[in-house]
């Protein structure tokens, strides 16, 4: 009997130990599980590009400001938002002047060709203020990427939730215009704020440089605001409507000098169109294949821009 009681007690202690061990493992795993399920509710600010109290317009702005604390400038826009710019002073004095670079869509003030080009230009005695360019999304992207069409009164298969050409067609013309106008206005406000910052630092704005899709907004800024001494496009990618109206737009503007660094045959066609419209200040330089607009070629492109600006008799 005593032997049976001893065996029972031993088994009871073993079962109790197993129960405690299982309870410990379960409790130990709960924090990790809770952490995993809670993570999506609090996205990383550095990834989203948002800072509390700041309306961010460019990709990865917070992370960029932490990487370049000495160059980061928060510019106040007219609409109450703020935009991050990177300011790179000239490495040799006196400065020849200042340049504004507007990045291609989806690039921030340092990524892609923008950062490489900016730093190379500072070695050529220019001060540079660089801006990122938030890409349009959804319906807005489709509005900008196509020619304006007349809205359809009775679409065959309306789907209000889809970002399709049909969605654009059924939008009221006023809504389409407002979406596009708000996007363009915000970018112009960023360029205006950048120019004001350069004036505050007593620099003369010599040129505005638009990279890729940034060329669309560089043109608008140069034409509608106080015109800089020069306007430069690097690998321009004009929206269809902007491209079709480019000659007319520039023919009525007073831009002293325009340079395009191009890698496509479209540059030759633009040159012919601008010549027919009486735009005599346009210069075209071919840079070969599209690979020429990679960051590693920033030095060569900066050399072309610097030499072209230097050719101005006012330098």
């Amino acid at each position: 009997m005593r032997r049976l009681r001893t065996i029972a007690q031993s088994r009871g202690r073993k079962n109790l130990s197993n129960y405690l061990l299982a309870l410990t493992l379960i409790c130990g795993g709960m924090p990790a599980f809770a952490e995993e399920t809670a993570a999506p509710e609090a996205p990383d600010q550095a990834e989203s590009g948002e800072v509390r109290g700041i309306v961010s317009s460019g990709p990865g702005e917070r992370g960029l400001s932490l990487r370049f604390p000495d160059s980061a400038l928060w510019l106040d826009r007219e609409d109450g938002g703020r935009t991050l710019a990177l300011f790179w002073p000239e490495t040799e004095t006196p400065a020849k002047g200042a340049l504004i670079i507007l990045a291609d869509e989806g690039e921030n003030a340092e990524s892609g060709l923008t950062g490489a080009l900016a730093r190379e230009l500072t070695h050529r005695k220019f001060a540079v203020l660089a801006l990122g360019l938030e890409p349009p999304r959804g319906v807005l992207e489709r509005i900008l990427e196509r020619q304006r069409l007349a809205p359809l009164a009775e679409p065959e298969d309306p789907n209000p939730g889809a970002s399709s050409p049909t969605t654009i067609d059924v939008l009221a013309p006023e809504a389409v215009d407002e979406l596009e106008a708000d996007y363009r206005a915000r970018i112009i406000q960023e360029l205006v704020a950048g120019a004001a910052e350069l004036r505050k630092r007593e620099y003369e704005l010599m040129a505005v440089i638009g990279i890729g899709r940034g060329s669309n907004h560089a043109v608008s800024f140069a034409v509608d605001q106080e015109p800089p001494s020069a306007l430069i496009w690097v690998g321009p990618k004009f929206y269809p409507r902007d491209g079709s109206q480019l000659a007319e737009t520039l023919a009525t503007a007073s831009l002293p000098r325009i340079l395009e660094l191009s890698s496509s045959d479209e540059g030759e066609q633009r040159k012919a169109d601008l010549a027919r419209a009486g735009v005599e200040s346009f210069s075209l330089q071919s840079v070969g294949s599209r690979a020429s607009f990679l960051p590693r070629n920033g030095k060569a492109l900066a050399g072309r821009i610097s030499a072209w600006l230097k050719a101005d008799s006012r330098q």
Side-chain angles (χ1 to χ4, degrees), residues 2 4 51 78 86 89-90 99 101 108 111 118-119 128 141 219 232 235 244 262 289 295 297 308:
R2 182 178 300 175
L4 291 175
V51 183
E78 186 180 343
L86 292 182
E90 68 282 4
L99 310 173
I101 300 179
N108 61 39
S111 64
R119 285 188 285 272
V128 181
E141 181 180 11
V219 170
I232 300 173
S244 64
S262 181
S289 67
N297 292 309
W308 182 78

Side-chain angles (χ1 to χ4, degrees), residues 101-104 113-114 117 121 208-216 218 231-238 259-263 270 285 287 292-294 297-298 301-302 304-305:
I101 300 179
L102 181 60
D104 199 358
L113 178 60
T114 306
L117 185 59
L121 285 166
V208 176
I209 303 172
I211 299 176
R213 288 295 191 202
S215 302
N216 296 276
L231 172 63
I232 300 173
W233 311 322
V234 179
K237 301 173 187 174
F238 290 105
L259 171 66
E260 175 175 332
L261 298 176
S262 181
S263 63
R270 264 190 297 273
Q285 293 186 21
V287 296
S292 298
F293 299 117
L294 294 174
N297 292 309
L301 294 170
R304 284 176 176 260
I305 291 172

